[in-house]
Amino acid sequence: MGSDAPAKRELHDDLLAAATLVTDVTHQCAAVGELHHRPQTPVKAELGEIVLGTKTGREHPGDLVVFDSTGTAVQDVAAAQALYTAAMKNSAGRPLPLWE
């Protein structure tokens, strides 16, 4: 995961061909993600649909699922919050003011 420009590529065609593909934002992945390089790959769902329960993700323990993430601001904020919370819980950091 992590392609965010049309020229970037991280996964081989064989992997995408064998996997179930889940995207963060399908149209964005088709423009700049792994899906851009193999557009015939079927997209099972967007992550938000799985979280809401309107579509399923992995159905069997052996399913190979690839998450094509090109990144959205809300994902960045959620990841930062999770890391910050874990760091504070484990005394692995200290809060810093954004402005002084």
Side-chain angles (χ1 to χ4, degrees), residues 4 14-15 24 32-33 37 40 46-47 50 54 67 76-77 79-80 82 84 89 91 99:
D4 60 0
D14 292 347
L15 176 61
D24 54 1
V32 296
H37 301 285
Q40 70 272 29
E46 288 189 350
L47 182 59
I50 294 171
T54 59
F67 178 53
D76 294 343
V77 170
Y84 176 81
K89 179 180 175 185
S91 300
W99 296 275

Side-chain angles (χ1 to χ4, degrees), residues 16-36:
L16 290 176
T20 296
L21 188 63
V22 173
T23 63
D24 54 1
V25 181
T26 300
H27 70 87
Q28 189 168 287
C29 292
V32 296
E34 295 299 325
L35 187 58
H36 173 75

Side-chain angles (χ1 to χ4, degrees), residues 6-71:
K8 287 185 181 178
R9 184 160 197 194
E10 298 177 341
L11 303 176
H12 193 276
D13 274 352
D14 292 347
L15 176 61
L16 290 176
T20 296
L21 188 63
V22 173
T23 63
D24 54 1
V25 181
T26 300
H27 70 87
Q28 189 168 287
C29 292
V32 296
E34 295 299 325
L35 187 58
H36 173 75
H37 301 285
R38 195 171 190 285
Q40 70 272 29
T41 304
V43 175
K44 180 168 186 171
E46 288 189 350
L47 182 59
E49 295 170 317
I50 294 171
V51 170
L52 290 172
T54 59
K55 292 195 177 175
T56 60
R58 179 176 282 117
E59 295 179 15
H60 306 285
D63 288 351
L64 175 62
V65 177
V66 168
F67 178 53
D68 188 359
S69 174
T70 53

